[in-house]
Amino acid sequence: MSNSIYDSIVAINDTTIDCKDTLGLIIHVSDCNMNCNFCFNRWLTKTSNRVEVSSILSTLKKNLGFYQSLTISGGEPTIYSDLPLLIEDIRKIDKTLIIKVDTNGYRIQKAIHADVIALDYKYPFSEYITRTGMDGTFAHSGLNYIMMDTSRGYIRSTMTNEHFQNNFDKVMTAEILKYNKGIRWDIQEFVDMPTVNRPDLIIDQKYNIRLLDMRKIAMALTDKYNSGRQK
Amino acid sequence: MIQNFSYDQDFKNLMSNLSTEYGKEIMNLEGIGNALDINNTSKKYFKEKFTVNATVDQNANVDDNTVLGYMMEIPKPYFRLNSLYKMWETVRKLFGKDKANEVITAEVSGAIYTHDLVGYAVRSYCWAASMLDILNKGLPFIPRVKSIPAQHLTTFIQHINQTVMFMSNQLDGAVALPDLFVSISYFVEKDIRDGILPNPKTDYDRYLKEITQQFQILVYTLNQPVRGGQSPFTNISIFDRYFFAKLFGDITFPDGTKPDYDKVNDLQKIYCDMFTNELRKQVLTFPIPTAAIAVEEIVNPDGTKARKAMDPEFMDQIIQYNLEYGHFNIYTGEITALSSCCRLKNEIDNDQMKEATELSLKNMNDNSLSKEYINTFGATSALKIGSHRVVTVNLPRIALMSSDEKTMIDNLTHHLSLAQMVLEAHRYIIRDVINTGKLPLYKFGLMDLNRQYSTFGFIGLYEMIHLMGENPTSEKGLEMMEQVISRFNTYAKGHDKIKEETSYIVEFRDGTFVKKVINSKVSILRMGKKESINISDLKYNDHYDGRTVKAVATQKDKIIYTYNVEQIPGESAAVKMLQKDRIIFKSPELNNIHLYSNQFVPLSDKMIIAERMTIHGTFDHKIGGGAILHINVAEKITEPSVMRTLVENAISKGVIYFAINYNFLECQNGHITVGKKTKCDQCGAPIIKEYTRVVGFITPKENWSNERRTEDRQWLKT
């Protein structure tokens, strides 16, 4: 594994969903500090594919104005100390591009120069160590970081069958509600794909109502956040 | 088996030699091997769940798995064989036996591919029909039940349906209805005036309900499998203000009124609302809607040029409708050209086509509708256009045969010449069939062979360059692509011609006539003796074609040969050509290719949209017969601004014809959603069926070939 993000980009794709309301690009970096069972990008840690940063920058230069956003995703981008340099290099090419970083919160301050930060809030803090291999304290501090500046940060959670079986939905909701603050919270449902192959994690129909309840709370928080912004 | 048929012995010998040279597998792929054994084919049909796995002619539009499908599939190998014979026979007459043998060898071995070979001997390919013809004359081509022109909207909707039913069975390919909404608008206005439809100004809700219902009847009828187990392949066009003015600005309806864009566009909107609403219930494939957005070149303040939509309001309308299901094919071109079919571009101001129109007018006989039509409606005949046949050159094959660029172009030119002979022969064959009266739509002026292109198809351009050892998307690779496309275009243009040709009209003593376009050898009885003579040498009292000859006259016909070039969808060609190449060339490089690409960059390649559009935009305007860029976005676009960015970017990059492709999901409870999920968004039930646009239209993936499904999995992976 390289220590530099410049040697660690494994894919570049179009996206219409990763950065809200924009036609964008998403780049994926290899390697992650976590090992989540529902990860659909696990292949990133195994591939030897590499995309040159220079080719990404030249693509951006050739297509100025074509894309409105660029998302740096993973793997985990904040494991690389030179993430801020990459963001700076991209911004030099296209000043209008919205740069977004997807992170699990590991070293969230590395994403400080991004326009948008999306924090993956995966489990109740107490469960992180057993389910991801990493202590939950950094996830907690990541969340605190996002809560400090909700204008450019938001959180998202992928819910699996396991979450509901263990009542994590309730604990996670309680943990977020403690902040008593409006925040954009996106609740995603686990989708099995050939790259994941975990049919056991597909949410059972009996949990549909709980998923819906969780979504309602998340939407209420998002509404609260939006109404705060309007003021 | 073929040895027992009454074909010319030379043809039988050729087929026997080809079978020995290329083996059983190739003959099976050609659909004239084991499939001729009706017993085996029958067993296979009933063993397979889906017809696509039991047919010699794969087509995702076939979803009939009943005995009707069986009845349609079983004779296909025989039709294919007979088409090959007819091809051989006609090419031999026109170009000699050696060329005829070469053409059939190329066809069987997969160097060239004649589309819908099943119907080659009798039918032409596709046609954009004018519903204004039907408005004016009714349905005189249905002899049993002649219908006079419709008086009201409800009847006219039935006339449209019946025309499509009739026409689609006379064609191998698509029926386009480019002036559908304009012609419907005439009856809507008339029925409002007559008090049959509510006046929208006073009772819009009831008006909306009535019109919506008529459109529902139209769409549901057009999706019925009335064409041998398939739905007719239909296209409709939705125009912006500028295309409308160019195409319909000069026309006057029979009652002296003129079409009004705002009223027509209101109908277009009602239709789009209705179609979107129906899609929420089920995936409807037809008619395929093409939104025609006129673009103009503007000069920016910094002196650079850019392409821009002329009617931004219309563009926004289409963007909004396209959000939910991405079901529009979008055409963005200058108003001098138009795509009314799924991809065929119609050069409205093309001189040769103008001449074809004048010629049609001159040649029309008393039965023709067109005489009155052209007098009445003038310029709209520009919409009536089609292709009588598409013959595709297998480009990767050219690469497999070529050692350098020069031989590549030489081999390409040679294969183009073979394709051209097949096309020219087909034009002769169709003229002959028209003369027998068995293609009545030509006789009634609803179709016109002079306005049908002979189309050179290509596929696998990307793989060709790759097999030549170049990276297809490198500067050199793109330069080679350009070279190949230019060769197609210069070859096609070089064969455009207007020729005066002699036909032979044989008059029989019983008062009947037969017209033959080739002075071929025929068997006759003269003074009780069997003889073989040319048609031109027939004499009084000769016994020919079961009748006694009175006289032979000649007639000079002006024939228009117009060629164009299309990047073909190649649903089944893409697979068959690759399979044949693998068998014949045994090149390990071919094992890494799933199928030959119908895009400049294969869908399985992870190239980003901006670059894909740049490459497509470089070549799109050079493909007169059309090409379609598939912009695959697996997840639904919810924001109009994102859709607008995609459309505007496509326009600015020079992309002329494109579609934004979603992945459709149907759950156990029949809900249609979009994305990559295994469960329904609406009810949580499992997804049981997936659909997307495979080659220009939306079909269920279970009807696709294995190779197409593999390609699909590649782009859905991330």
Side-chain angles (χ1 to χ4, degrees), chain B residues 1 5 7 27-28 30-38 41 54-57 70-84 117-118:
Chain B
M1 186 185 297
F5 293 0
Y7 293 142
M27 300 311 265
N28 285 342
E30 189 56 21
I32 50 170
N34 292 343
L36 287 166
D37 178 346
I38 190 167
T41 314
T55 180
V56 294
D57 204 24
Y70 169 77
M71 298 302 284
M72 298 309 296
E73 291 302 323
I74 289 298
K76 279 184 177 175
Y78 297 92
F79 285 138
R80 291 179 72 86
L81 180 64
N82 207 51
S83 292
L84 285 174
L117 186 64
V118 165

Side-chain angles (χ1 to χ4, degrees), chain B residues 27 71 92 98 106 141 197 213 237 245 327 361 371 388 391 407 583 657 692 704:
Chain B
M27 300 311 265
M71 298 302 284
R92 184 183 63 168
D98 289 347
F141 48 88
L197 277 173
Q213 194 185 352
S237 301
H327 65 281
L361 184 60
K371 194 171 187 174
H388 69 88
V391 180
T407 49
I583 294 165
Y657 201 56
T692 195
W704 298 4

Side-chain angles (χ1 to χ4, degrees), chain B residues 528-594:
Chain B
K529 248 176 79 184
K530 259 193 178 173
E531 281 185 46
S532 175
I533 60 158
N534 284 329
I535 286 186
S536 56
D537 296 330
L538 282 168
K539 287 195 169 58
Y540 182 79
N541 257 354
D542 281 346
H543 197 71
Y544 158 61
D545 199 25
R547 290 167 281 180
T548 311
V549 174
K550 187 176 171 191
V552 180
T554 55
Q555 182 185 315
K556 296 271 186 203
D557 290 325
K558 220 174 179 186
I559 306 299
I560 296 189
Y561 290 82
T562 315
Y563 291 84
N564 66 356
V565 178
E566 178 190 3
Q567 185 177 43
I568 56 137
E571 186 184 352
S572 121
V575 178
K576 278 190 187 169
M577 283 181 175
L578 172 62
Q579 286 173 334
K580 287 182 178 178
D581 285 345
R582 278 184 185 150
I583 294 165
I584 295 169
F585 289 87
K586 298 183 173 57
S587 162
E589 280 183 284
L590 294 173
N591 296 333
N592 300 324
I593 301 171
H594 299 301

Side-chain angles (χ1 to χ4, degrees), chain A residues 78-174:
Chain A
T78 66
I79 60 175
Y80 300 100
S81 299
D82 50 2
L83 172 64
L85 285 178
L86 178 66
I87 294 174
E88 204 180 309
D89 278 345
I90 293 167
R91 209 180 291 287
K92 269 188 219 159
I93 299 287
D94 189 344
K95 289 185 176 55
T96 63
L97 210 57
I98 299 167
I99 300 174
K100 175 181 166 243
V101 172
D102 289 345
T103 176
N104 58 30
Y106 177 54
R107 293 197 292 177
I108 201 162
Q109 64 281 7
K110 291 279 170 208
I112 192 165
H113 297 300
D115 301 299
V116 181
I117 302 170
L119 174 76
D120 271 343
Y121 170 47
K122 296 167 186 290
Y123 292 104
F125 299 130
S126 58
E127 293 293 326
Y128 264 75
I129 189 74
T130 48
R131 298 189 185 270
T132 72
M134 291 297 289
D135 190 305
T137 48
F138 71 84
H140 197 183
S141 58
L143 197 55
N144 284 333
Y145 187 89
I146 294 290
M147 287 297 185
M148 275 190 322
D149 184 4
T150 53
S151 66
R152 65 192 185 104
Y154 71 96
I155 50 178
R156 55 186 196 177
S157 302
T158 303
M159 304 306 290
T160 69
N161 211 35
E162 197 178 44
H163 282 78
F164 291 100
Q165 281 166 345
N166 294 291
N167 294 322
F168 293 162
D169 53 323
K170 291 172 183 162
V171 184
M172 289 167 78
T173 305

Side-chain angles (χ1 to χ4, degrees), chain B residues 124-127 344 385-390 452-455 564:
Chain B
S124 68
Y125 199 64
C126 64
W127 184 247
L344 173 66
I385 202 161
S387 169
H388 69 88
R389 189 62 39 177
V390 185
Q452 284 181 295
Y453 286 98
S454 303
T455 304
N564 66 356

Side-chain angles (χ1 to χ4, degrees), chain B residues 364-379:
Chain B
M364 263 175 304
N365 59 41
D366 292 342
N367 282 327
S368 172
L369 292 175
S370 306
K371 194 171 187 174
E372 198 164 334
Y373 164 68
I374 289 174
N375 289 341
T376 312
F377 300 121

Side-chain angles (χ1 to χ4, degrees), chain B residues 498-669:
Chain B
I498 301 172
K499 250 173 88 182
E500 207 164 58
E501 287 176 356
T502 306
S503 298
Y504 301 88
I505 299 168
V506 184
E507 185 185 357
F508 296 98
R509 281 172 58 185
D510 63 5
T512 58
F513 293 85
V514 64
K515 186 176 174 183
K516 291 280 177 189
V517 294
I518 301 177
N519 188 14
S520 53
K521 287 247 185 266
V522 290
S523 299
I524 59 154
L525 272 180
R526 183 175 281 174
M527 314 282 281
K529 248 176 79 184
K530 259 193 178 173
E531 281 185 46
S532 175
I533 60 158
N534 284 329
I535 286 186
S536 56
D537 296 330
L538 282 168
K539 287 195 169 58
Y540 182 79
N541 257 354
D542 281 346
H543 197 71
Y544 158 61
D545 199 25
R547 290 167 281 180
T548 311
V549 174
K550 187 176 171 191
V552 180
T554 55
Q555 182 185 315
K556 296 271 186 203
D557 290 325
K558 220 174 179 186
I559 306 299
I560 296 189
Y561 290 82
T562 315
Y563 291 84
N564 66 356
V565 178
E566 178 190 3
Q567 185 177 43
I568 56 137
E571 186 184 352
S572 121
V575 178
K576 278 190 187 169
M577 283 181 175
L578 172 62
Q579 286 173 334
K580 287 182 178 178
D581 285 345
R582 278 184 185 150
I583 294 165
I584 295 169
F585 289 87
K586 298 183 173 57
S587 162
E589 280 183 284
L590 294 173
N591 296 333
N592 300 324
I593 301 171
H594 299 301
L595 80 178
Y596 292 152
S597 177
N598 61 11
Q599 305 278 292
F600 294 107
V601 179
L603 291 172
S604 52
D605 189 296
K606 289 291 171 198
M607 178 177 272
I608 59 169
I609 292 171
E611 293 187 347
R612 201 177 276 279
M613 278 187 183
T614 304
I615 292 175
H616 194 95
T618 308
F619 299 124
D620 205 354
H621 64 282
K622 295 177 180 166
I623 317 296
I628 184 167
L629 172 68
H630 283 200
I631 301 169
N632 286 354
V633 287
E635 296 288 349
K636 186 173 179 166
I637 298 171
T638 50
E639 280 302 317
S641 63
V642 176
M643 184 68 81
R644 184 178 301 107
T645 306
L646 269 174
V647 174
E648 283 177 345
N649 283 342
I651 292 173
S652 75
K653 293 268 186 191
V655 178
I656 294 172
Y657 201 56
F658 61 97
I660 292 160
N661 285 347
Y662 291 165
N663 192 49
F664 289 82
L665 308 168
E666 181 182 332
C667 82
Q668 218 165 35
N669 298 323

